[in-house]
Amino acid sequence: MKKKILKKNYSSKRVYRKVIFFIASKTPFIPGKYRALLFCWGGVKFDKPLSCFLGYNVYFDDLHPELISVGSDTIITEGTRVLSHFLDVTYDDFDHQYCAKVYIGSKVFIGMNTVIIKPITIGNGAIIGANSVLNKNIPSYTIWGGNPAKQIMNRIINNK
């Protein structure tokens, strides 16, 4: 993965994203499925945006939203933060950051105030508890929670 310094870029595309993301995250009367559609217009990749639910005050990184992918039938609740650029701690300053992909699978539930701080993949059907900090890949059909997030148990799916 190539390291690069991210500089503040206030191009018209970034300003457009900031406006769209602000409307999507800070307007309380917009239904959750339409929030996902707005974030999709801003560059976040959704398989089926109208099948997802995004709560109030969800934040997707506006520097590189194209690196964030969300599967269908996913629920991301209030206050969640999803980042796509991260501090490179191998340097002595804070100017070196790197960009990486974040993939959230289908039928995932992410609890309130969860923060994603590393490039990760969240498997299909995973459940993330409230106030969790995710810094490693999450396998499919497991339940995780805590700071840093730890596996609590495997999910057993009853299809009736």
Side-chain angles (χ1 to χ4, degrees):
M1 185 179 325
K2 186 178 178 184
K3 310 281 188 203
K4 67 178 184 176
I5 297 174
L6 296 177
K7 299 196 185 271
K8 290 191 177 183
N9 178 8
Y10 291 106
S11 66
S12 59
K13 190 177 200 179
R14 177 110 190 268
V15 171
Y16 168 78
R17 286 178 180 160
K18 281 202 165 289
V19 170
I20 291 293
F21 285 14
F22 180 82
I23 292 168
S25 66
K26 300 293 185 185
T27 309
F29 58 84
I30 294 177
K33 66 181 180 178
Y34 295 116
R35 285 182 210 281
L37 188 60
L38 285 170
F39 280 115
C40 191
W41 292 348
V44 178
K45 296 176 186 171
F46 283 87
D47 287 348
K48 295 179 185 175
L50 293 177
S51 72
C52 295
F53 174 86
L54 298 181
Y56 175 73
N57 202 21
V58 169
Y59 174 81
F60 286 102
D61 196 341
D62 62 358
L63 278 178
H64 293 283
E66 67 277 359
L67 296 175
I68 302 169
S69 300
V70 181
S72 60
D73 299 318
T74 293
I75 298 172
I76 301 175
T77 58
E78 185 173 331
T80 297
R81 306 283 181 250
V82 181
L83 302 176
S84 62
H85 75 283
F86 312 96
L87 181 65
D88 188 349
V89 297
T90 61
Y91 289 90
D92 196 23
D93 58 24
F94 300 117
D95 293 332
H96 290 81
Q97 298 179 357
Y98 64 95
C99 303
K101 293 183 179 183
V102 174
Y103 177 75
I104 301 170
S106 297
K107 298 184 179 179
V108 171
F109 178 88
I110 299 177
M112 282 181 80
N113 298 322
T114 295
V115 181
I116 296 175
I117 60 168
K118 292 276 188 180
I120 64 169
T121 297
I122 300 175
N124 297 334
I127 296 176
I128 310 300
N131 294 312
S132 296
V133 177
L134 302 181
N135 60 3
K136 56 185 151 192
N137 291 335
I138 309 296
S140 296
Y141 298 101
T142 55
I143 300 173
W144 289 65
N147 179 6
K150 293 182 173 72
Q151 185 172 352
I152 297 169
M153 63 184 293
N154 290 324
R155 286 184 68 193
I156 299 171
I157 305 300
N158 293 326
N159 291 329
K160 292 182 179 182

